[in-house]
Amino acid sequence: MARLIFKTAFTAALLLVLVIMGMNNRQTVELNLPPIIGHTQKQPAAIMYFGFFAVGLLAGAVLTAGRRGKSKSE
């Protein structure tokens, strides 16, 4: 139960930081990834932060998806 509360609080704190960054960084930024994207992406900074957060969240979910709990065959 404590682990669930900690994970929920941690995720809420990350989302709060994301909201604060989005509110205070409204200028347009450029993203260059020549091997993947052929042209420069120009988006508001808040959209970029959200995208990076989403990619990190999905990567974490994929990396932890295969874990199995300890067997309780006692």
Side-chain angles (χ1 to χ4, degrees):
M1 183 69 173
R3 188 175 182 182
L4 177 64
I5 293 171
F6 175 74
K7 285 183 176 183
T8 303
F10 184 73
T11 304
L14 283 176
L15 291 174
L16 178 63
V17 169
L18 185 68
V19 168
I20 291 170
M21 283 192 291
M23 289 173 53
N24 295 311
N25 294 296
R26 297 181 184 163
Q27 68 275 12
T28 301
V29 294
E30 295 181 359
L31 177 67
N32 296 315
L33 291 172
I36 300 171
I37 303 171
H39 58 283
T40 301
Q41 293 288 321
K42 295 181 182 180
Q43 298 288 333
I47 300 295
M48 292 285 192
Y49 289 133
F50 182 75
F52 295 144
F53 178 78
V55 168
L57 186 68
L58 289 174
V62 167
L63 291 174
T64 60
R67 291 188 182 175
R68 295 183 184 180
K70 295 181 180 179
S71 63
K72 297 180 181 178
S73 60
E74 293 180 15

